mmCIF file of all heavy atoms in Angstrom:
data_model
loop_
_atom_site.group_PDB
_atom_site.id
_atom_site.type_symbol
_atom_site.label_atom_id
_atom_site.label_comp_id
_atom_site.label_asym_id
_atom_site.label_seq_id
_atom_site.Cartn_x
_atom_site.Cartn_y
_atom_site.Cartn_z
ATOM 1 N N ARG M 1 -24.705 -7.190 -4.864
ATOM 2 C CA ARG M 1 -24.898 -6.122 -5.759
ATOM 3 C C ARG M 1 -26.297 -6.079 -6.262
ATOM 4 O O ARG M 1 -26.886 -4.914 -6.428
ATOM 5 C CB ARG M 1 -23.994 -6.160 -6.981
ATOM 6 C CG ARG M 1 -22.546 -5.734 -6.822
ATOM 7 C CD ARG M 1 -21.755 -5.627 -8.162
ATOM 8 N NE ARG M 1 -21.635 -6.815 -8.758
ATOM 9 C CZ ARG M 1 -20.788 -7.845 -8.630
ATOM 10 N NH1 ARG M 1 -19.926 -7.667 -7.738
ATOM 11 N NH2 ARG M 1 -20.892 -8.900 -9.319
ATOM 12 N N ALA M 2 -27.095 -7.163 -6.274
ATOM 13 C CA ALA M 2 -28.455 -7.185 -6.732
ATOM 14 C C ALA M 2 -29.369 -6.741 -5.625
ATOM 15 O O ALA M 2 -30.539 -6.567 -5.823
ATOM 16 C CB ALA M 2 -28.753 -8.483 -7.283
ATOM 17 N N GLY M 3 -28.818 -6.598 -4.464
ATOM 18 C CA GLY M 3 -29.669 -6.180 -3.315
ATOM 19 C C GLY M 3 -30.206 -7.212 -2.375
ATOM 20 O O GLY M 3 -30.991 -6.856 -1.552
ATOM 21 N N ASP M 4 -29.695 -8.443 -2.547
ATOM 22 C CA ASP M 4 -30.215 -9.505 -1.684
ATOM 23 C C ASP M 4 -29.585 -9.251 -0.280
ATOM 24 O O ASP M 4 -28.558 -8.637 -0.142
ATOM 25 C CB ASP M 4 -29.730 -10.819 -2.157
ATOM 26 C CG ASP M 4 -30.377 -11.407 -3.448
ATOM 27 O OD1 ASP M 4 -31.377 -10.676 -3.839
ATOM 28 O OD2 ASP M 4 -29.961 -12.359 -4.027
ATOM 29 N N SER M 5 -30.416 -9.665 0.777
ATOM 30 C CA SER M 5 -29.979 -9.620 2.179
ATOM 31 C C SER M 5 -28.954 -10.648 2.417
ATOM 32 O O SER M 5 -28.859 -11.686 1.727
ATOM 33 C CB SER M 5 -31.112 -9.709 3.093
ATOM 34 O OG SER M 5 -31.755 -11.036 3.015
ATOM 35 N N ILE M 6 -28.337 -10.416 3.611
ATOM 36 C CA ILE M 6 -27.398 -11.492 3.998
ATOM 37 C C ILE M 6 -28.070 -12.836 4.245
ATOM 38 O O ILE M 6 -27.450 -13.936 3.833
ATOM 39 C CB ILE M 6 -26.647 -11.030 5.255
ATOM 40 C CG1 ILE M 6 -25.660 -9.793 5.005
ATOM 41 C CG2 ILE M 6 -25.814 -12.099 5.955
ATOM 42 C CD1 ILE M 6 -25.076 -9.226 6.115
ATOM 43 N N SER M 7 -29.228 -12.811 4.798
ATOM 44 C CA SER M 7 -29.897 -14.049 5.061
ATOM 45 C C SER M 7 -30.263 -14.760 3.860
ATOM 46 O O SER M 7 -30.247 -16.020 3.676
ATOM 47 C CB SER M 7 -31.141 -13.828 5.947
ATOM 48 O OG SER M 7 -32.016 -12.965 5.370
ATOM 49 N N VAL M 8 -30.775 -14.064 2.853
ATOM 50 C CA VAL M 8 -31.056 -14.620 1.511
ATOM 51 C C VAL M 8 -29.823 -15.203 0.852
ATOM 52 O O VAL M 8 -29.831 -16.350 0.358
ATOM 53 C CB VAL M 8 -31.860 -13.564 0.564
ATOM 54 C CG1 VAL M 8 -31.833 -14.134 -0.801
ATOM 55 C CG2 VAL M 8 -33.183 -13.202 1.111
ATOM 56 N N ILE M 9 -28.753 -14.462 0.919
ATOM 57 C CA ILE M 9 -27.524 -15.005 0.271
ATOM 58 C C ILE M 9 -27.011 -16.209 0.953
ATOM 59 O O ILE M 9 -26.569 -17.226 0.365
ATOM 60 C CB ILE M 9 -26.503 -13.818 0.338
ATOM 61 C CG1 ILE M 9 -26.812 -12.655 -0.515
ATOM 62 C CG2 ILE M 9 -25.071 -14.361 -0.111
ATOM 63 C CD1 ILE M 9 -26.033 -11.436 -0.309
ATOM 64 N N SER M 10 -27.091 -16.199 2.354
ATOM 65 C CA SER M 10 -26.585 -17.373 3.057
ATOM 66 C C SER M 10 -27.454 -18.598 2.755
ATOM 67 O O SER M 10 -26.869 -19.764 2.617
ATOM 68 C CB SER M 10 -26.615 -17.029 4.505
ATOM 69 O OG SER M 10 -27.962 -16.957 5.108
ATOM 70 N N ARG M 11 -28.713 -18.473 2.657
ATOM 71 C CA ARG M 11 -29.570 -19.631 2.281
ATOM 72 C C ARG M 11 -29.226 -20.188 0.943
ATOM 73 O O ARG M 11 -29.109 -21.397 0.653
ATOM 74 C CB ARG M 11 -31.102 -19.371 2.420
ATOM 75 C CG ARG M 11 -31.530 -19.243 3.808
ATOM 76 C CD ARG M 11 -33.079 -19.275 3.816
ATOM 77 N NE ARG M 11 -33.581 -18.098 3.275
ATOM 78 C CZ ARG M 11 -33.940 -16.889 3.875
ATOM 79 N NH1 ARG M 11 -33.575 -16.782 5.130
ATOM 80 N NH2 ARG M 11 -34.371 -15.878 3.224
ATOM 81 N N ALA M 12 -29.054 -19.252 -0.040
ATOM 82 C CA ALA M 12 -28.774 -19.615 -1.468
ATOM 83 C C ALA M 12 -27.276 -20.315 -1.481
ATOM 84 O O ALA M 12 -27.218 -21.276 -2.340
ATOM 85 C CB ALA M 12 -28.705 -18.440 -2.326
ATOM 86 N N LEU M 13 -26.403 -19.906 -0.695
ATOM 87 C CA LEU M 13 -25.101 -20.464 -0.763
ATOM 88 C C LEU M 13 -24.899 -21.662 0.304
ATOM 89 O O LEU M 13 -23.841 -22.339 0.117
ATOM 90 C CB LEU M 13 -24.004 -19.475 -0.432
ATOM 91 C CG LEU M 13 -23.942 -18.281 -1.332
ATOM 92 C CD1 LEU M 13 -22.881 -17.235 -0.807
ATOM 93 C CD2 LEU M 13 -23.679 -18.641 -2.762
ATOM 94 N N GLY M 14 -25.873 -21.879 1.096
ATOM 95 C CA GLY M 14 -25.776 -22.925 2.100
ATOM 96 C C GLY M 14 -24.728 -22.695 3.112
ATOM 97 O O GLY M 14 -24.143 -23.649 3.659
ATOM 98 N N LYS M 15 -24.502 -21.411 3.457
ATOM 99 C CA LYS M 15 -23.526 -21.024 4.489
ATOM 100 C C LYS M 15 -24.191 -20.282 5.585
ATOM 101 O O LYS M 15 -25.282 -19.655 5.390
ATOM 102 C CB LYS M 15 -22.524 -20.044 3.857
ATOM 103 C CG LYS M 15 -21.734 -20.731 2.671
ATOM 104 C CD LYS M 15 -20.787 -21.720 3.203
ATOM 105 C CE LYS M 15 -19.987 -22.246 1.988
ATOM 106 N NZ LYS M 15 -19.065 -23.313 2.482
ATOM 107 N N PRO M 16 -23.612 -20.312 6.696
ATOM 108 C CA PRO M 16 -24.290 -19.416 7.846
ATOM 109 C C PRO M 16 -24.126 -17.999 7.528
ATOM 110 O O PRO M 16 -23.325 -17.497 6.928
ATOM 111 C CB PRO M 16 -23.363 -19.815 9.094
ATOM 112 C CG PRO M 16 -22.439 -20.921 8.624
ATOM 113 C CD PRO M 16 -22.437 -21.020 7.187
ATOM 114 N N PRO M 17 -25.158 -17.209 7.983
ATOM 115 C CA PRO M 17 -25.206 -15.806 7.752
ATOM 116 C C PRO M 17 -23.902 -15.096 8.264
ATOM 117 O O PRO M 17 -23.498 -14.141 7.694
ATOM 118 C CB PRO M 17 -26.443 -15.223 8.511
ATOM 119 C CG PRO M 17 -27.314 -16.535 8.668
ATOM 120 C CD PRO M 17 -26.349 -17.691 8.747
ATOM 121 N N GLY M 18 -23.432 -15.580 9.459
ATOM 122 C CA GLY M 18 -22.143 -14.974 9.923
ATOM 123 C C GLY M 18 -21.047 -15.069 8.988
ATOM 124 O O GLY M 18 -20.154 -14.170 8.918
ATOM 125 N N SER M 19 -20.943 -16.220 8.204
ATOM 126 C CA SER M 19 -19.845 -16.314 7.259
ATOM 127 C C SER M 19 -19.995 -15.268 6.092
ATOM 128 O O SER M 19 -19.011 -14.709 5.674
ATOM 129 C CB SER M 19 -19.873 -17.748 6.649
ATOM 130 O OG SER M 19 -19.538 -18.663 7.674
ATOM 131 N N VAL M 20 -21.229 -15.067 5.597
ATOM 132 C CA VAL M 20 -21.405 -14.155 4.549
ATOM 133 C C VAL M 20 -21.130 -12.688 5.113
ATOM 134 O O VAL M 20 -20.470 -11.971 4.467
ATOM 135 C CB VAL M 20 -22.863 -14.233 4.064
ATOM 136 C CG1 VAL M 20 -23.227 -13.076 3.155
ATOM 137 C CG2 VAL M 20 -23.176 -15.609 3.467
ATOM 138 N N PHE M 21 -21.592 -12.405 6.347
ATOM 139 C CA PHE M 21 -21.289 -11.076 6.883
ATOM 140 C C PHE M 21 -19.837 -10.891 6.948
ATOM 141 O O PHE M 21 -19.367 -9.803 6.706
ATOM 142 C CB PHE M 21 -21.992 -11.076 8.261
ATOM 143 C CG PHE M 21 -21.641 -9.763 8.981
ATOM 144 C CD1 PHE M 21 -22.268 -8.552 8.682
ATOM 145 C CD2 PHE M 21 -20.650 -9.781 10.049
ATOM 146 C CE1 PHE M 21 -22.034 -7.409 9.357
ATOM 147 C CE2 PHE M 21 -20.368 -8.534 10.727
ATOM 148 C CZ PHE M 21 -20.977 -7.410 10.385
ATOM 149 N N THR M 22 -19.132 -11.838 7.504
ATOM 150 C CA THR M 22 -17.584 -11.789 7.553
ATOM 151 C C THR M 22 -16.898 -11.360 6.304
ATOM 152 O O THR M 22 -16.022 -10.490 6.269
ATOM 153 C CB THR M 22 -17.064 -13.000 8.209
ATOM 154 O OG1 THR M 22 -17.664 -13.351 9.521
ATOM 155 C CG2 THR M 22 -15.542 -12.978 8.386
ATOM 156 N N VAL M 23 -17.309 -12.075 5.309
ATOM 157 C CA VAL M 23 -16.684 -11.771 3.915
ATOM 158 C C VAL M 23 -17.072 -10.362 3.501
ATOM 159 O O VAL M 23 -16.194 -9.567 3.119
ATOM 160 C CB VAL M 23 -17.232 -12.759 2.788
ATOM 161 C CG1 VAL M 23 -16.830 -12.196 1.495
ATOM 162 C CG2 VAL M 23 -16.693 -14.124 3.169
ATOM 163 N N LEU M 24 -18.273 -9.925 3.692
ATOM 164 C CA LEU M 24 -18.702 -8.552 3.262
ATOM 165 C C LEU M 24 -18.028 -7.510 4.221
ATOM 166 O O LEU M 24 -17.599 -6.546 3.639
ATOM 167 C CB LEU M 24 -20.238 -8.471 3.464
ATOM 168 C CG LEU M 24 -21.099 -9.253 2.593
ATOM 169 C CD1 LEU M 24 -22.580 -9.168 2.843
ATOM 170 C CD2 LEU M 24 -20.938 -8.805 1.075
ATOM 171 N N LYS M 25 -17.982 -7.838 5.472
ATOM 172 C CA LYS M 25 -17.353 -6.789 6.306
ATOM 173 C C LYS M 25 -15.870 -6.662 6.082
ATOM 174 O O LYS M 25 -15.303 -5.584 6.041
ATOM 175 C CB LYS M 25 -17.526 -7.271 7.830
ATOM 176 C CG LYS M 25 -16.860 -6.282 8.751
ATOM 177 C CD LYS M 25 -17.127 -6.829 10.147
ATOM 178 C CE LYS M 25 -16.394 -5.865 11.190
ATOM 179 N NZ LYS M 25 -16.339 -6.520 12.525
ATOM 180 N N HIS M 26 -15.157 -7.851 5.758
ATOM 181 C CA HIS M 26 -13.733 -7.833 5.485
ATOM 182 C C HIS M 26 -13.425 -6.886 4.307
ATOM 183 O O HIS M 26 -12.360 -6.254 4.251
ATOM 184 C CB HIS M 26 -13.227 -9.173 5.183
ATOM 185 C CG HIS M 26 -11.772 -9.261 4.893
ATOM 186 N ND1 HIS M 26 -10.792 -9.158 5.900
ATOM 187 C CD2 HIS M 26 -11.072 -9.474 3.706
ATOM 188 C CE1 HIS M 26 -9.576 -9.241 5.248
ATOM 189 N NE2 HIS M 26 -9.770 -9.395 4.045
ATOM 190 N N HIS M 27 -14.378 -6.852 3.332
ATOM 191 C CA HIS M 27 -14.120 -6.024 2.149
ATOM 192 C C HIS M 27 -14.823 -4.699 2.102
ATOM 193 O O HIS M 27 -14.885 -4.038 1.153
ATOM 194 C CB HIS M 27 -14.508 -6.768 0.891
ATOM 195 C CG HIS M 27 -13.588 -8.029 0.724
ATOM 196 N ND1 HIS M 27 -12.253 -7.835 0.244
ATOM 197 C CD2 HIS M 27 -13.782 -9.264 0.889
ATOM 198 C CE1 HIS M 27 -11.694 -9.061 0.215
ATOM 199 N NE2 HIS M 27 -12.550 -9.924 0.559
ATOM 200 N N GLY M 28 -15.527 -4.390 3.219
ATOM 201 C CA GLY M 28 -16.155 -3.172 3.371
ATOM 202 C C GLY M 28 -17.466 -3.087 2.521
ATOM 203 O O GLY M 28 -17.919 -2.047 2.071
ATOM 204 N N GLY M 29 -17.927 -4.302 2.064
ATOM 205 C CA GLY M 29 -19.147 -4.342 1.276
ATOM 206 C C GLY M 29 -18.926 -4.155 -0.161
ATOM 207 O O GLY M 29 -19.801 -4.033 -0.991
ATOM 208 N N ILE M 30 -17.682 -3.959 -0.565
ATOM 209 C CA ILE M 30 -17.271 -3.737 -1.993
ATOM 210 C C ILE M 30 -16.442 -4.950 -2.478
ATOM 211 O O ILE M 30 -15.434 -5.310 -1.812
ATOM 212 C CB ILE M 30 -16.457 -2.489 -2.143
ATOM 213 C CG1 ILE M 30 -17.328 -1.301 -1.582
ATOM 214 C CG2 ILE M 30 -16.028 -2.276 -3.601
ATOM 215 C CD1 ILE M 30 -16.556 -0.037 -1.474
ATOM 216 N N ALA M 31 -16.872 -5.449 -3.564
ATOM 217 C CA ALA M 31 -16.236 -6.684 -4.089
ATOM 218 C C ALA M 31 -14.743 -6.341 -4.492
ATOM 219 O O ALA M 31 -14.475 -5.232 -5.051
ATOM 220 C CB ALA M 31 -16.906 -7.213 -5.304
ATOM 221 N N PRO M 32 -13.904 -7.166 -4.125
ATOM 222 C CA PRO M 32 -12.348 -6.875 -4.470
ATOM 223 C C PRO M 32 -12.173 -6.981 -5.898
ATOM 224 O O PRO M 32 -12.897 -7.754 -6.681
ATOM 225 C CB PRO M 32 -11.623 -7.921 -3.677
ATOM 226 C CG PRO M 32 -12.500 -8.914 -3.472
ATOM 227 C CD PRO M 32 -13.885 -8.427 -3.335
ATOM 228 N N GLY M 33 -11.170 -6.256 -6.488
ATOM 229 C CA GLY M 33 -10.929 -6.391 -7.895
ATOM 230 C C GLY M 33 -10.157 -7.724 -8.214
ATOM 231 O O GLY M 33 -9.748 -8.383 -7.292
ATOM 232 N N GLU M 34 -10.172 -8.025 -9.434
ATOM 233 C CA GLU M 34 -9.533 -9.232 -9.843
ATOM 234 C C GLU M 34 -8.052 -9.122 -9.679
ATOM 235 O O GLU M 34 -7.469 -8.101 -9.941
ATOM 236 C CB GLU M 34 -9.850 -9.529 -11.389
ATOM 237 C CG GLU M 34 -9.278 -10.795 -11.841
ATOM 238 C CD GLU M 34 -9.743 -11.080 -13.217
ATOM 239 O OE1 GLU M 34 -10.742 -10.635 -13.665
ATOM 240 O OE2 GLU M 34 -8.926 -11.855 -13.942
ATOM 241 N N ARG M 35 -7.401 -10.133 -9.147
ATOM 242 C CA ARG M 35 -6.009 -10.052 -8.855
ATOM 243 C C ARG M 35 -5.294 -10.283 -10.206
ATOM 244 O O ARG M 35 -5.541 -11.093 -10.963
ATOM 245 C CB ARG M 35 -5.630 -11.219 -7.856
ATOM 246 C CG ARG M 35 -6.225 -10.982 -6.498
ATOM 247 C CD ARG M 35 -5.811 -12.088 -5.547
ATOM 248 N NE ARG M 35 -4.501 -11.964 -5.203
ATOM 249 C CZ ARG M 35 -3.898 -12.708 -4.352
ATOM 250 N NH1 ARG M 35 -4.418 -13.700 -3.772
ATOM 251 N NH2 ARG M 35 -2.499 -12.515 -4.103
ATOM 252 N N VAL M 36 -4.280 -9.579 -10.327
ATOM 253 C CA VAL M 36 -3.432 -9.589 -11.544
ATOM 254 C C VAL M 36 -2.008 -9.634 -11.092
ATOM 255 O O VAL M 36 -1.459 -8.761 -10.323
ATOM 256 C CB VAL M 36 -3.645 -8.295 -12.442
ATOM 257 C CG1 VAL M 36 -2.802 -8.239 -13.691
ATOM 258 C CG2 VAL M 36 -5.068 -8.060 -12.732
ATOM 259 N N ARG M 37 -1.224 -10.578 -11.644
ATOM 260 C CA ARG M 37 0.201 -10.700 -11.383
ATOM 261 C C ARG M 37 0.970 -9.605 -12.076
ATOM 262 O O ARG M 37 0.630 -9.295 -13.271
ATOM 263 C CB ARG M 37 0.662 -12.069 -11.834
ATOM 264 C CG ARG M 37 0.168 -13.130 -10.970
ATOM 265 C CD ARG M 37 1.181 -14.367 -11.236
ATOM 266 N NE ARG M 37 0.677 -15.547 -10.460
ATOM 267 C CZ ARG M 37 1.065 -15.831 -9.286
ATOM 268 N NH1 ARG M 37 1.861 -15.168 -8.700
ATOM 269 N NH2 ARG M 37 0.582 -17.008 -8.710
ATOM 270 N N ARG M 38 2.095 -9.184 -11.380
ATOM 271 C CA ARG M 38 3.002 -8.244 -12.103
ATOM 272 C C ARG M 38 3.618 -8.862 -13.305
ATOM 273 O O ARG M 38 3.871 -10.093 -13.265
ATOM 274 C CB ARG M 38 3.954 -7.743 -10.986
ATOM 275 C CG ARG M 38 3.458 -6.894 -10.011
ATOM 276 C CD ARG M 38 4.543 -6.528 -9.014
ATOM 277 N NE ARG M 38 5.874 -6.497 -9.491
ATOM 278 C CZ ARG M 38 6.902 -6.172 -8.804
ATOM 279 N NH1 ARG M 38 6.757 -5.819 -7.583
ATOM 280 N NH2 ARG M 38 8.057 -6.097 -9.333
ATOM 281 N N ALA M 39 3.942 -8.123 -14.267
ATOM 282 C CA ALA M 39 4.566 -8.645 -15.399
ATOM 283 C C ALA M 39 5.920 -9.264 -15.194
ATOM 284 O O ALA M 39 6.428 -10.144 -15.863
ATOM 285 C CB ALA M 39 4.678 -7.561 -16.523
ATOM 286 N N ASP M 40 6.643 -8.771 -14.095
ATOM 287 C CA ASP M 40 7.961 -9.190 -13.884
ATOM 288 C C ASP M 40 8.120 -10.308 -12.739
ATOM 289 O O ASP M 40 9.187 -10.564 -12.290
ATOM 290 C CB ASP M 40 8.843 -8.010 -13.573
ATOM 291 C CG ASP M 40 8.478 -7.381 -12.221
ATOM 292 O OD1 ASP M 40 7.385 -7.518 -11.835
ATOM 293 O OD2 ASP M 40 9.215 -6.570 -11.643
ATOM 294 N N HIS M 41 6.973 -11.018 -12.578
ATOM 295 C CA HIS M 41 7.028 -11.979 -11.460
ATOM 296 C C HIS M 41 7.654 -13.350 -12.024
ATOM 297 O O HIS M 41 7.740 -13.559 -13.175
ATOM 298 C CB HIS M 41 5.668 -12.321 -10.987
ATOM 299 C CG HIS M 41 4.925 -13.348 -11.692
ATOM 300 N ND1 HIS M 41 4.243 -12.933 -12.957
ATOM 301 C CD2 HIS M 41 4.733 -14.677 -11.697
ATOM 302 C CE1 HIS M 41 3.662 -14.076 -13.521
ATOM 303 N NE2 HIS M 41 4.039 -15.122 -12.779
ATOM 304 N N LEU M 42 8.356 -14.038 -11.084
ATOM 305 C CA LEU M 42 8.961 -15.324 -11.441
ATOM 306 C C LEU M 42 7.878 -16.460 -11.387
ATOM 307 O O LEU M 42 7.118 -16.518 -10.386
ATOM 308 C CB LEU M 42 10.046 -15.583 -10.542
ATOM 309 C CG LEU M 42 11.265 -14.754 -10.520
ATOM 310 C CD1 LEU M 42 12.260 -15.175 -9.392
ATOM 311 C CD2 LEU M 42 11.925 -14.859 -11.948
ATOM 312 N N SER M 43 7.845 -17.197 -12.342
ATOM 313 C CA SER M 43 7.029 -18.392 -12.268
ATOM 314 C C SER M 43 7.648 -19.447 -11.500
ATOM 315 O O SER M 43 8.833 -19.349 -11.093
ATOM 316 C CB SER M 43 6.840 -19.015 -13.793
ATOM 317 O OG SER M 43 7.991 -19.605 -14.199
ATOM 318 N N ALA M 44 6.927 -20.457 -11.191
ATOM 319 C CA ALA M 44 7.484 -21.584 -10.381
ATOM 320 C C ALA M 44 8.615 -22.295 -11.131
ATOM 321 O O ALA M 44 9.656 -22.573 -10.500
ATOM 322 C CB ALA M 44 6.370 -22.710 -10.070
ATOM 323 N N GLU M 45 8.517 -22.334 -12.374
ATOM 324 C CA GLU M 45 9.603 -22.973 -13.133
ATOM 325 C C GLU M 45 10.808 -22.046 -13.105
ATOM 326 O O GLU M 45 12.041 -22.559 -13.020
ATOM 327 C CB GLU M 45 9.159 -23.086 -14.621
ATOM 328 C CG GLU M 45 8.179 -24.110 -14.857
ATOM 329 C CD GLU M 45 7.576 -24.084 -16.319
ATOM 330 O OE1 GLU M 45 8.086 -23.245 -17.175
ATOM 331 O OE2 GLU M 45 6.756 -24.894 -16.540
ATOM 332 N N ASP M 46 10.715 -20.790 -13.206
ATOM 333 C CA ASP M 46 11.833 -19.862 -13.143
ATOM 334 C C ASP M 46 12.513 -19.868 -11.762
ATOM 335 O O ASP M 46 13.738 -19.908 -11.528
ATOM 336 C CB ASP M 46 11.422 -18.410 -13.339
ATOM 337 C CG ASP M 46 10.980 -18.159 -14.789
ATOM 338 O OD1 ASP M 46 11.424 -18.884 -15.645
ATOM 339 O OD2 ASP M 46 10.149 -17.215 -14.996
ATOM 340 N N ARG M 47 11.695 -20.074 -10.729
ATOM 341 C CA ARG M 47 12.375 -20.102 -9.355
ATOM 342 C C ARG M 47 13.013 -21.441 -9.181
ATOM 343 O O ARG M 47 14.161 -21.441 -8.454
ATOM 344 C CB ARG M 47 11.298 -20.088 -8.290
ATOM 345 C CG ARG M 47 10.667 -18.618 -8.213
ATOM 346 C CD ARG M 47 9.792 -18.459 -6.872
ATOM 347 N NE ARG M 47 8.621 -19.333 -6.993
ATOM 348 C CZ ARG M 47 7.414 -19.052 -7.512
ATOM 349 N NH1 ARG M 47 7.306 -17.874 -7.964
ATOM 350 N NH2 ARG M 47 6.472 -19.890 -7.538
#
């Protein structure tokens, strides 16, 4: 979001540029929203 390139991000994270690209491509370059459980889900204890 700050505008860093894939190569800059990969060096900062210590990951190959292809790994960074794959994550970005998978989500279309848009960060996924935070996952929220449904209110009616069963907990492990309930199951």
Side-chain angles (χ1 to χ4, degrees):
R1 281 191 299 274
D4 288 353
S5 68
I6 290 174
S7 59
V8 169
I9 295 169
S10 67
R11 280 193 298 272
L13 300 178
K15 300 289 183 183
S19 297
V20 173
F21 175 79
T22 299
V23 171
L24 294 172
K25 181 181 175 189
H26 179 75
H27 295 287
I30 301 170
E34 185 176 332
R35 296 179 71 180
V36 179
R37 289 199 184 267
R38 290 178 28 181
D40 62 344
H41 84 280
L42 292 175
S43 69
E45 293 172 358
D46 293 335
R47 288 191 297 271

